[in-house]
mmCIF file with all atom_site columns, all heavy atoms in Angstrom:
data_model
loop_
_atom_site.group_PDB
_atom_site.id
_atom_site.type_symbol
_atom_site.label_atom_id
_atom_site.label_alt_id
_atom_site.label_comp_id
_atom_site.label_asym_id
_atom_site.label_entity_id
_atom_site.label_seq_id
_atom_site.pdbx_PDB_ins_code
_atom_site.Cartn_x
_atom_site.Cartn_y
_atom_site.Cartn_z
_atom_site.occupancy
_atom_site.B_iso_or_equiv
_atom_site.pdbx_formal_charge
_atom_site.auth_seq_id
_atom_site.auth_comp_id
_atom_site.auth_asym_id
_atom_site.auth_atom_id
_atom_site.pdbx_PDB_model_num
ATOM 1  N N   . ALA V 1 107 ? 6.169   -34.893 -11.346 1.00 0.00 ? 107 ALA V N   1
ATOM 2  C CA  . ALA V 1 107 ? 6.763   -36.115 -11.166 1.00 0.00 ? 107 ALA V CA  1
ATOM 3  C C   . ALA V 1 107 ? 5.828   -37.235 -10.767 1.00 0.00 ? 107 ALA V C   1
ATOM 4  O O   . ALA V 1 107 ? 6.040   -38.335 -11.152 1.00 0.00 ? 107 ALA V O   1
ATOM 5  C CB  . ALA V 1 107 ? 7.879   -35.936 -10.032 1.00 0.00 ? 107 ALA V CB  1
ATOM 6  N N   . ILE V 1 127 ? 0.186   -51.070 -9.494  1.00 0.00 ? 127 ILE V N   1
ATOM 7  C CA  . ILE V 1 127 ? 0.294   -50.532 -8.210  1.00 0.00 ? 127 ILE V CA  1
ATOM 8  C C   . ILE V 1 127 ? 0.393   -49.035 -8.403  1.00 0.00 ? 127 ILE V C   1
ATOM 9  O O   . ILE V 1 127 ? 1.493   -48.536 -8.739  1.00 0.00 ? 127 ILE V O   1
ATOM 10 C CB  . ILE V 1 127 ? 1.474   -51.071 -7.333  1.00 0.00 ? 127 ILE V CB  1
ATOM 11 C CG1 . ILE V 1 127 ? 1.310   -52.554 -7.216  1.00 0.00 ? 127 ILE V CG1 1
ATOM 12 C CG2 . ILE V 1 127 ? 1.541   -50.387 -6.003  1.00 0.00 ? 127 ILE V CG2 1
ATOM 13 C CD1 . ILE V 1 127 ? 2.522   -53.219 -6.530  1.00 0.00 ? 127 ILE V CD1 1
ATOM 14 N N   . ASP V 1 150 ? 12.671  -30.020 -20.079 1.00 0.00 ? 150 ASP V N   1
ATOM 15 C CA  . ASP V 1 150 ? 11.709  -29.164 -20.776 1.00 0.00 ? 150 ASP V CA  1
ATOM 16 C C   . ASP V 1 150 ? 10.318  -29.165 -20.014 1.00 0.00 ? 150 ASP V C   1
ATOM 17 O O   . ASP V 1 150 ? 9.444   -28.399 -20.440 1.00 0.00 ? 150 ASP V O   1
ATOM 18 C CB  . ASP V 1 150 ? 11.499  -29.637 -22.216 1.00 0.00 ? 150 ASP V CB  1
ATOM 19 C CG  . ASP V 1 150 ? 11.084  -31.081 -22.313 1.00 0.00 ? 150 ASP V CG  1
ATOM 20 O OD1 . ASP V 1 150 ? 11.193  -31.827 -21.333 1.00 0.00 ? 150 ASP V OD1 1
ATOM 21 O OD2 . ASP V 1 150 ? 10.680  -31.492 -23.352 1.00 0.00 ? 150 ASP V OD2 1
ATOM 22 N N   . PRO V 1 158 ? 10.478  -9.922  -15.936 1.00 0.00 ? 158 PRO V N   1
ATOM 23 C CA  . PRO V 1 158 ? 9.905   -8.656  -16.457 1.00 0.00 ? 158 PRO V CA  1
ATOM 24 C C   . PRO V 1 158 ? 10.858  -8.028  -17.507 1.00 0.00 ? 158 PRO V C   1
ATOM 25 O O   . PRO V 1 158 ? 12.043  -8.122  -17.455 1.00 0.00 ? 158 PRO V O   1
ATOM 26 C CB  . PRO V 1 158 ? 9.768   -7.836  -15.220 1.00 0.00 ? 158 PRO V CB  1
ATOM 27 C CG  . PRO V 1 158 ? 9.743   -8.800  -14.054 1.00 0.00 ? 158 PRO V CG  1
ATOM 28 C CD  . PRO V 1 158 ? 10.536  -9.974  -14.457 1.00 0.00 ? 158 PRO V CD  1
ATOM 29 N N   . LEU V 1 190 ? 21.424  -8.675  2.266   1.00 0.00 ? 190 LEU V N   1
ATOM 30 C CA  . LEU V 1 190 ? 20.820  -8.338  3.566   1.00 0.00 ? 190 LEU V CA  1
ATOM 31 C C   . LEU V 1 190 ? 21.837  -8.406  4.667   1.00 0.00 ? 190 LEU V C   1
ATOM 32 O O   . LEU V 1 190 ? 21.803  -7.529  5.687   1.00 0.00 ? 190 LEU V O   1
ATOM 33 C CB  . LEU V 1 190 ? 19.606  -9.256  3.885   1.00 0.00 ? 190 LEU V CB  1
ATOM 34 C CG  . LEU V 1 190 ? 18.339  -8.972  3.109   1.00 0.00 ? 190 LEU V CG  1
ATOM 35 C CD1 . LEU V 1 190 ? 17.246  -10.023 3.380   1.00 0.00 ? 190 LEU V CD1 1
ATOM 36 C CD2 . LEU V 1 190 ? 17.794  -7.564  3.358   1.00 0.00 ? 190 LEU V CD2 1
ATOM 37 N N   . MET V 1 241 ? 2.810   -0.652  33.042  1.00 0.00 ? 241 MET V N   1
ATOM 38 C CA  . MET V 1 241 ? 2.354   0.636   33.608  1.00 0.00 ? 241 MET V CA  1
ATOM 39 C C   . MET V 1 241 ? 3.165   1.813   33.100  1.00 0.00 ? 241 MET V C   1
ATOM 40 O O   . MET V 1 241 ? 2.601   2.892   32.797  1.00 0.00 ? 241 MET V O   1
ATOM 41 C CB  . MET V 1 241 ? 2.414   0.589   35.118  1.00 0.00 ? 241 MET V CB  1
ATOM 42 C CG  . MET V 1 241 ? 1.896   1.828   35.790  1.00 0.00 ? 241 MET V CG  1
ATOM 43 S SD  . MET V 1 241 ? 2.129   1.805   37.579  1.00 0.00 ? 241 MET V SD  1
ATOM 44 C CE  . MET V 1 241 ? 1.271   0.347   38.044  1.00 0.00 ? 241 MET V CE  1
ATOM 45 N N   . SER V 1 289 ? -8.255  16.741  4.028   1.00 0.00 ? 289 SER V N   1
ATOM 46 C CA  . SER V 1 289 ? -9.185  15.626  3.942   1.00 0.00 ? 289 SER V CA  1
ATOM 47 C C   . SER V 1 289 ? -10.608 16.092  4.432   1.00 0.00 ? 289 SER V C   1
ATOM 48 O O   . SER V 1 289 ? -11.607 15.769  3.897   1.00 0.00 ? 289 SER V O   1
ATOM 49 C CB  . SER V 1 289 ? -8.757  14.431  4.749   1.00 0.00 ? 289 SER V CB  1
ATOM 50 O OG  . SER V 1 289 ? -8.633  14.794  6.142   1.00 0.00 ? 289 SER V OG  1
ATOM 51 N N   . ALA V 1 294 ? -16.174 17.699  3.262   1.00 0.00 ? 294 ALA V N   1
ATOM 52 C CA  . ALA V 1 294 ? -17.222 18.691  3.305   1.00 0.00 ? 294 ALA V CA  1
ATOM 53 C C   . ALA V 1 294 ? -17.680 19.127  1.877   1.00 0.00 ? 294 ALA V C   1
ATOM 54 O O   . ALA V 1 294 ? -18.893 19.284  1.623   1.00 0.00 ? 294 ALA V O   1
ATOM 55 C CB  . ALA V 1 294 ? -16.794 19.945  4.085   1.00 0.00 ? 294 ALA V CB  1
#
Side-chain angles (χ1 to χ4, degrees):
I127 302 176
D150 58 346
L190 286 174
M241 183 187 300
S289 65

